[in-house]
Amino acid sequence: MSNQYILDLLLYSPSIEDYSSLEYSNKVILNQKILNEIMNNNIQEDTMIFKLWSQSDIGYYETFVSVHDFTASDDKIYVPFRIAEELFVNRDDFINIEYYIPPKANYIKLKPNQKEFYNIIDVKDFLGNHIKKYYPVLKKDSIISIPYYDSIIELVIKDIKPFDVVTTIDTDIQVEFEPFNEVDTHNVNVSNSTNIHDDIQSYDKKMDEWYPFCGIGHRLGNK
């Protein structure tokens, strides 16, 4: 299946459903026409993954998304603003969509973009719950954003296996972390490098005691 549909941004309507949580996800809202085409092709998956892409004079851009529901109107696709930015498209532009079946992930390497990541106590629950619920599909070199109290924690997907695009549903995943480096970010004062280094060393010591992901597979899924 490969078609073009009209892009729209997610419309937040609390009277119907609060979609604001989807802004920090790679979930989209598709329309009934797409669902009918999937069913006509006898494709039946518990978690449906799609590739979205755009192509213009400035280049080719693609991303991979999962589906929240099929309640979009007419020929539209509702996407988070961040997804539209990744594809370099605007509201009411046409977007290409194609059904996609990625392999199940067995390894992920993540790198935090903020040192506040090291303040998280229960990393296993924090990541497991959010990735399972909001990021059923991951792509190498992309960024996942997770709300954490009054801030947003960003994690760069530095490596994934067995392929550059994977699903995180119902699979055992070994997760490792690449240390935070303030030189790679623009929102951290370099003069605090000593404190940051101390934070990383302290966190590494905690990893030896309780770190839930390192070197061990943990099941992320509903089964």
Side-chain angles (χ1 to χ4, degrees):
M1 184 190 76
S2 179
N3 293 286
Q4 281 195 333
Y5 292 87
I6 299 172
L7 180 81
D8 204 349
L9 299 181
L10 280 172
L11 302 179
Y12 306 145
S13 179
S15 62
I16 301 176
E17 183 176 352
D18 184 7
Y19 290 127
S20 60
S21 61
L22 299 185
E23 187 59 41
Y24 300 104
S25 76
N26 56 20
K27 286 191 168 185
V28 302
I29 300 174
L30 302 185
N31 57 70
Q32 190 67 34
K33 181 179 179 180
I34 296 177
L35 178 61
N36 293 339
E37 290 180 356
I38 293 172
M39 300 307 295
N40 289 338
N41 290 325
N42 296 318
I43 300 174
Q44 296 183 4
E45 295 285 336
D46 293 336
T47 302
M48 295 182 181
I49 305 298
F50 291 85
K51 179 173 79 170
L52 303 182
W53 80 93
S54 65
Q55 189 165 8
S56 65
D57 293 339
I58 63 174
Y60 171 87
Y61 304 94
E62 69 177 24
T63 191
F64 294 83
V65 299
S66 58
V67 183
H68 180 70
D69 60 43
F70 290 89
T71 60
S73 60
D74 302 324
D75 287 336
K76 291 186 177 181
I77 299 173
Y78 299 156
V79 305
F81 180 74
R82 182 181 57 82
I83 297 293
E85 283 189 323
E86 288 182 19
L87 296 170
F88 282 83
V89 291
N90 297 309
R91 190 171 187 175
D92 294 332
D93 284 347
F94 280 92
I95 198 73
N96 298 281
I97 181 170
E98 181 178 338
Y99 185 73
Y100 189 84
I101 305 178
K104 293 181 180 293
N106 56 39
Y107 171 83
I108 304 174
K109 177 182 283 189
L110 301 171
K111 180 176 182 178
N113 268 353
Q114 293 86 17
K115 65 175 181 177
E116 286 75 15
F117 175 76
Y118 297 101
N119 296 330
I120 300 172
I121 301 301
D122 197 339
V123 177
K124 176 183 176 181
D125 285 345
F126 177 78
L127 288 177
N129 292 337
H130 284 280
I131 289 178
K132 178 177 65 176
K133 186 174 182 179
Y134 295 110
Y135 293 94
V137 59
L138 296 177
K139 179 185 176 184
K140 184 178 180 180
D141 296 327
S142 63
I143 296 177
I144 61 176
S145 301
I146 302 177
Y148 180 67
Y149 292 105
D150 295 330
S151 62
I152 301 298
I153 300 294
E154 292 184 342
L155 297 162
V156 182
I157 303 173
K158 302 298 290 186
D159 192 18
I160 51 176
K161 295 178 182 179
F163 193 60
D164 287 352
V165 180
V166 297
T167 178
T168 61
I169 298 300
D170 297 328
T171 180
D172 295 327
I173 305 176
Q174 177 186 340
V175 181
E176 294 183 1
F177 289 93
E178 186 173 311
F180 167 80
N181 185 349
E182 73 278 4
V183 176
D184 296 335
T185 65
H186 301 286
N187 60 345
V188 178
N189 192 330
V190 177
S191 64
N192 292 329
S193 59
T194 301
N195 293 333
I196 293 172
H197 181 68
D198 291 342
D199 290 342
I200 294 174
Q201 285 186 328
S202 176
Y203 189 77
D204 288 340
K205 292 179 181 178
K206 293 181 182 179
M207 288 170 55
D208 294 336
E209 300 174 1
W210 60 266
Y211 189 49
F213 273 152
C214 187
I216 303 175
H218 288 268
R219 191 171 183 80
L220 300 181
N222 298 320
K223 298 181 181 178

